[in-house]
Amino acid sequence: MKKSSTLTTTTSMPASPTLSAQTLSASKISLNSSRCGSAGSGCGSASGSMRSACQSPVRPGSGCVDAIKAKREEIEMDTLLEKAKFYTSVCLGTTAILSVFTFLFLIPFVVDPAISTIIADYDPVPVTCIVIDHIYAEGIKNCSWSSCREGCTSSLTKCHQLFVNYTRIPFSEWERNPRDLDTVNWDVSYTKFLINSEGCGYPPTTNCSIFARQYGFSHIGEPFPCFYSRAYPEVVIGRYSWENNLYHLILSLIIPNVLFAISIGVLSYWYCPCCEKACNKSSRVYAEKFPTKEDKLLCHSDEDDDMEY
């Protein structure tokens, strides 16, 4: 009987170490879980969230997809803005170039005649004139000048040359009280008569055939209103308006130059680093950019508090 009990004991001994190892590992797991639970739910929640984030499938309504869509929309918006900036830059550059050429074109045709008209100082009140001679000539040699010319840069092959006498009596007064032409004391006699200050123009506003029929031929000796120059009394013209002259001069000076300045200004701000830095420069004084003593003390006190914590 003693031998059997001893055998039973020896046969049951190998199972005890295995059971104790399993029990030890289970106790360690329970101890770790109890520590994590005592420290707070942060450990479990963090691991759970990481697992759920990695294992859970991406749903269409999730925040990850919304972030990707927002990023794509932001990229598309940036691309659209870049395209708009490019085409706007092309338009601004074209506007600047056209403004320069337009201004150069307006100088001989609008600016120079307007300035010459201002310098001539025409009397705005029309006086009384009569045509005393009308010469029609053909050929460059015979047309040294012309009262009317269609095209200020064209060569003279046909010309109408009109000569007038004028008196400083206003034409409105002459109409109210006509005078005998033989008794009138003319201020200037046999002087050149021009359609305007330059003696030329462009259709349809300038038609030399109509001008010649209006003042010459059968209308010789008939009084009509004209404008004389107070700076050059021998210059007499048929068309003059101070308001229109000043209006065209201002438009021809302002519009091309303003368009050119705006175009170059915007392009310089976009593509010139120096201009962008100058525009975005801080308005603070140089000394204000450095911290004061109070700011330094406050900064050091905050650092000391952070060290204590």
Side-chain angles (χ1 to χ4, degrees), residues 15 74-75 89 113 138-139 162 183 216 220 226 232 245 280 283 295 299:
E74 184 179 357
I75 294 173
S89 302
E138 294 182 358
L162 279 71
T183 61
I220 295 177
C226 63
Y232 311 101
N245 182 68
N280 297 329
S283 59
D295 295 336
C299 182

Side-chain angles (χ1 to χ4, degrees), residues 226-293:
C226 63
F227 303 89
Y228 75 97
S229 171
R230 288 177 287 199
Y232 311 101
E234 68 279 1
V235 178
V236 184
I237 61 176
R239 300 176 184 175
Y240 173 72
S241 175
W242 168 259
E243 292 79 9
N244 291 337
N245 182 68
L246 187 63
Y247 174 76
H248 290 102
L249 178 62
I250 291 175
L251 287 183
S252 59
L253 289 176
I254 289 179
I255 292 178
N257 291 292
V258 169
L259 291 176
F260 178 79
I262 292 175
S263 302
I264 295 300
V266 174
L267 292 175
S268 300
Y269 178 75
W270 280 350
Y271 299 103
C272 181
C274 299
C275 297
E276 186 175 0
K277 290 180 181 178
C279 293
N280 297 329
K281 188 178 180 181
S282 177
S283 59
R284 295 192 305 169
V285 185
Y286 181 75
E288 294 180 357
K289 297 181 181 180
F290 296 94
T292 59
K293 294 182 178 180

Side-chain angles (χ1 to χ4, degrees), residues 76-89 271:
E76 292 177 357
M77 182 60 66
D78 293 339
T79 305
L80 182 62
L81 291 176
E82 289 294 330
K83 289 183 179 179
K85 184 178 179 181
F86 171 75
Y87 289 115
T88 305
S89 302
Y271 299 103

Side-chain angles (χ1 to χ4, degrees), residues 1-15:
M1 293 296 294
K2 291 181 180 180
K3 290 181 180 180
S4 61
S5 62
T6 304
L7 182 59
T8 304
T9 304
T10 56
T11 55
S12 61
M13 283 297 290

Side-chain angles (χ1 to χ4, degrees), residues 186-208:
W186 302 104
D187 294 295
V188 177
S189 299
Y190 207 80
T191 186
K192 297 177 181 179
F193 178 64
L194 304 177
I195 186 173
N196 51 31
S197 60
E198 294 296 316
C200 61
Y202 294 90
T205 58
T206 300
N207 191 319
C208 294

Side-chain angles (χ1 to χ4, degrees), residues 67-283:
I68 294 174
K69 288 184 178 180
K71 189 65 176 178
R72 289 179 179 175
E73 292 177 357
E74 184 179 357
I75 294 173
E76 292 177 357
M77 182 60 66
D78 293 339
T79 305
L80 182 62
L81 291 176
E82 289 294 330
K83 289 183 179 179
K85 184 178 179 181
F86 171 75
Y87 289 115
T88 305
S89 302
V90 172
C91 293
L92 290 175
T94 306
T95 302
I97 295 173
L98 292 178
S99 299
V100 173
F101 284 103
T102 302
F103 182 69
L104 295 177
F105 176 80
L106 291 174
I107 287 176
F109 296 107
V110 179
V111 178
D112 185 55
I115 294 175
S116 301
T117 302
I118 293 174
I119 294 174
D121 189 20
Y122 291 96
D123 190 352
V125 179
V127 297
T128 306
C129 291
I130 61 168
V131 176
I132 60 174
D133 193 8
H134 178 195
I135 300 173
Y136 173 75
E138 294 182 358
I140 297 176
K141 293 182 179 180
N142 298 325
C143 294
S144 58
W145 70 279
S146 177
S147 295
C148 178
R149 184 171 58 176
E150 295 179 5
C152 296
T153 58
S154 61
S155 59
L156 290 174
T157 56
K158 298 179 181 180
C159 59
H160 295 272
Q161 299 175 353
L162 279 71
F163 297 89
V164 299
N165 295 345
Y166 77 87
T167 177
R168 290 187 174 88
I169 299 174
F171 185 73
S172 58
E173 183 180 342
W174 182 281
E175 286 183 323
R176 290 193 303 267
N177 186 17
R179 294 167 175 80
D180 188 4
L181 297 178
D182 296 331
T183 61
V184 174
N185 185 15
W186 302 104
D187 294 295
V188 177
S189 299
Y190 207 80
T191 186
K192 297 177 181 179
F193 178 64
L194 304 177
I195 186 173
N196 51 31
S197 60
E198 294 296 316
C200 61
Y202 294 90
T205 58
T206 300
N207 191 319
C208 294
S209 300
I210 296 176
F211 171 78
R213 288 195 300 267
Q214 182 181 357
Y215 295 102
F217 298 117
S218 61
H219 295 283
I220 295 177
E222 294 181 2
F224 64 91
C226 63
F227 303 89
Y228 75 97
S229 171
R230 288 177 287 199
Y232 311 101
E234 68 279 1
V235 178
V236 184
I237 61 176
R239 300 176 184 175
Y240 173 72
S241 175
W242 168 259
E243 292 79 9
N244 291 337
N245 182 68
L246 187 63
Y247 174 76
H248 290 102
L249 178 62
I250 291 175
L251 287 183
S252 59
L253 289 176
I254 289 179
I255 292 178
N257 291 292
V258 169
L259 291 176
F260 178 79
I262 292 175
S263 302
I264 295 300
V266 174
L267 292 175
S268 300
Y269 178 75
W270 280 350
Y271 299 103
C272 181
C274 299
C275 297
E276 186 175 0
K277 290 180 181 178
C279 293
N280 297 329
K281 188 178 180 181
S282 177
S283 59

